Amino acid sequence: MTLSSALALLTLLAAPASADGFTVSSYTAAALDAAPDVRSAEESYQAADAALKGQAAAMLLPTLGFAYTQTAYGHNPLDAYRYEHGRFAPRLGQAATTANWNLFNSFEDLQKTRAAARTRRAARGALAAAKQDRAFASISAFYDLDSKTELLGVARQNLADQKRQYDQSLDLYKHGMKSLADLLKSETDWRSSELRLISAQSDRKKALVEFNTLVDRAALADAALAVDLQAGATALPAVDADLVRALEVRPEAAQAREELERARVAVEQAVQGLLPSLRVDATWTKTRYAAFSGAGSSLPNPTDHVGVALSLPIGFNGLTQAWTISTARAQKRRAEAARSAVERTVKSELYNAYINLEKVSSSYTVALLKEEIAAKSLELVGRQYQQGAADAIRMNQAQNDYLNARVERALALHDIFIDRARYKRAAGDQLW
């Protein structure tokens, strides 16, 4: 079977909404709503978004300040330093209103805004990655529960078949057509089926706990699933083209790129801390003087001016600023290494998901044929057993072959849907 004509791939089609059970789409949506890690990532993104908006406002908008001064006790500078003894009145104080607009500050605000924008983009990537992880976990849990439910049905059917085989062996033994060894072998197979049923019941309960935990339901509350498993012929995806796209759109890759860009901005900010700072401010001030004789001023009121200030960083000693630059550069190299690691992970995950998808598609085709052959073989051996031409060992082998074929077909069928979702996640396609 060629890759382009894999006959056993299934199309992941969401079942229509049903009042009788979960569909894969409704369950995934419920799991995303209930996920603490998704809510945490959402809050982190909202915080980063608010921080960016606040920094942009600080860069672009003027500030308005109000100040009021009044001396209640002691020498009052507003009244020629006369001694006050607790007089309070609005007109005895001085009020000043100041509007300031920073026109330039050596691009410090611009760099802060750039860093805040990178932080928000990284937070958005982290949110998308959290949603992808939770969506894939929910899809896996959904199909795993359906698979375990089907296998439980297979185990129950096998137990019924083995009990019927034992009753038949007992009847043949009573009529002298089967030996005691055949009868004991049939009973042993019957008891083995009981053990298999117990194991299948336990596996389904574990899958049910995982299913319910993701949507905050009672651990062992039963769940009805509306599943539409439709097989169809389709080509395997173009993995090489998907790799290029995955490196661009995968949330983890986007987050790593933004972290690197933020580290580069941090290096530029550290270098700025070593250089003199030029600041240009436009200021307007209006003062309401206290109602004392001579408390006014001969200066213009209001006043406005544009001031230029050139200064070295506060606390400048050279060594501190140099080590700050060294730290920022080390953080940048760390971000570069982290990005390379993420790209390697993306490549590995995509190709592994492709290989798994290729394997399970081929396996499902063979499993369908195997189940059909095993069913015919069991029917043939069953007739021979009734006629005395086949012993219990051969009959048991035929039953086990059919049981294993049904299990393998069921597992491969559900694995295709899980591996299809795994590949979409590795390629960066949205799962929710």
Side-chain angles (χ1 to χ4, degrees):
M1 183 181 68
T2 63
L3 297 183
S4 61
S5 60
L7 298 179
L9 278 180
L10 301 181
T11 304
L12 184 56
L13 298 175
S18 171
D20 298 327
F22 287 99
T23 65
V24 64
S25 57
S26 66
Y27 177 71
T28 300
L32 287 175
D33 288 340
D37 52 342
V38 173
R39 290 199 298 270
S40 176
E42 176 68 30
E43 294 301 328
S44 295
Y45 172 73
Q46 294 297 334
D49 181 64
L52 172 59
K53 292 175 180 177
Q55 177 56 43
M59 177 179 68
L60 298 175
L61 300 179
T63 60
L64 188 63
F66 301 93
Y68 178 79
T69 304
Q70 180 175 350
T71 302
Y73 290 91
H75 296 93
N76 187 357
L78 302 179
D79 191 15
Y81 288 93
R82 294 177 182 175
Y83 199 89
E84 294 289 352
H85 294 82
R87 287 192 301 165
F88 292 96
R91 298 296 299 177
L92 297 182
Q94 178 173 296
T97 301
T98 302
N100 184 78
W101 193 3
N102 175 249
L103 303 178
F104 182 75
N105 61 355
S106 298
F107 303 107
E108 291 180 6
D109 281 342
L110 178 62
Q111 293 288 55
K112 291 178 181 179
T113 304
R114 288 179 59 199
R118 298 297 180 181
T119 300
R120 186 180 69 169
R121 291 177 186 175
R124 183 167 53 199
L127 174 59
K131 287 185 175 181
Q132 284 286 78
D133 291 343
R134 184 55 57 186
F136 176 70
S138 63
I139 291 172
S140 299
F142 180 89
Y143 285 112
D144 184 56
L145 177 59
D146 187 66
S147 173
K148 295 300 189 297
T149 302
E150 183 174 349
L151 293 181
L152 178 59
V154 171
R156 285 172 176 162
Q157 182 62 47
N158 178 255
L159 176 60
D161 293 341
Q162 293 289 359
K163 179 61 170 62
R164 186 167 51 252
Q165 178 64 34
Y166 170 76
D167 293 339
Q168 184 181 60
S169 298
L170 180 60
D171 182 66
L172 293 173
Y173 172 73
K174 290 179 180 179
H175 290 82
M177 298 179 64
K178 289 296 178 182
S179 66
L180 178 60
D182 284 340
L183 178 62
L184 294 176
K185 175 61 176 171
S186 296
E187 185 174 6
T188 300
D189 295 338
W190 173 26
R191 301 306 177 187
S192 296
S193 295
E194 291 182 326
L195 293 175
R196 188 177 295 112
L197 177 61
I198 293 172
S199 179
Q201 290 171 333
S202 176
D203 290 342
R204 186 183 183 278
K205 286 181 180 179
K206 292 178 181 178
L208 186 61
V209 169
E210 179 65 19
F211 179 93
N212 287 331
T213 298
L214 292 180
V215 290
D216 291 335
R217 300 177 77 226
L220 293 176
D222 205 3
L225 306 182
V227 184
D228 185 11
L229 301 179
Q230 298 184 8
T234 184
L236 287 171
V239 64
D240 291 331
D242 286 340
L243 176 61
V244 176
R245 181 167 55 87
L247 292 174
E248 180 65 27
V249 304
R250 274 280 293 266
E252 299 89 339
Q255 183 181 2
R257 286 196 303 272
E258 297 304 329
E259 294 288 355
L260 176 57
E261 291 303 317
R262 185 169 62 177
R264 287 173 176 166
V265 173
V267 172
E268 295 174 2
Q269 288 177 310
V271 172
Q272 277 187 330
L274 191 63
L275 302 176
S277 175
L278 177 64
R279 183 180 181 91
V280 179
D281 288 279
T283 304
W284 175 91
T285 302
K286 180 175 178 59
T287 304
R288 193 212 69 186
Y289 295 102
F292 295 114
S293 176
S297 173
S298 59
L299 299 177
N301 187 30
T303 62
D304 58 80
H305 68 275
V306 175
V308 179
L310 181 65
S311 62
L312 284 174
I314 297 176
F316 180 83
N317 58 24
L319 292 179
T320 298
Q321 287 70 28
W323 286 115
T324 299
I325 294 174
S326 178
T327 300
R329 287 175 175 171
Q331 293 293 341
K332 175 175 170 289
R333 292 191 296 269
R334 182 199 62 79
E336 289 172 343
R339 179 183 175 182
S340 297
V342 168
E343 290 177 348
R344 288 185 178 185
T345 300
V346 169
K347 182 178 181 180
S348 175
E349 288 181 353
L350 183 65
Y351 276 94
N352 283 330
Y354 175 81
I355 293 170
N356 287 336
L357 192 57
E358 178 187 20
K359 172 187 174 183
V360 74
S361 65
S362 301
S363 299
Y364 180 65
T365 301
V366 176
L368 283 175
L369 296 175
K370 182 179 178 180
E371 183 179 12
E372 181 181 352
I373 294 169
K376 293 179 179 179
S377 176
L378 178 60
E379 182 182 359
L380 176 62
V381 174
R383 289 198 299 266
Q384 293 175 347
Y385 186 81
Q386 292 177 354
Q387 298 168 359
D391 58 13
I393 295 178
R394 186 178 173 191
M395 184 65 186
N396 173 257
Q397 184 62 51
Q399 289 173 330
N400 284 338
D401 288 345
Y402 181 58
L403 172 66
N404 291 335
R406 292 184 67 188
V407 170
E408 290 170 355
R409 190 269 310 159
L411 291 176
L413 177 63
H414 291 84
D415 283 347
I416 286 180
F417 286 88
I418 295 175
D419 286 335
R420 173 70 62 81
R422 179 180 286 109
Y423 183 85
K424 291 179 65 178
R425 174 176 173 269
D429 295 334
Q430 184 171 301
L431 294 178
W432 68 93

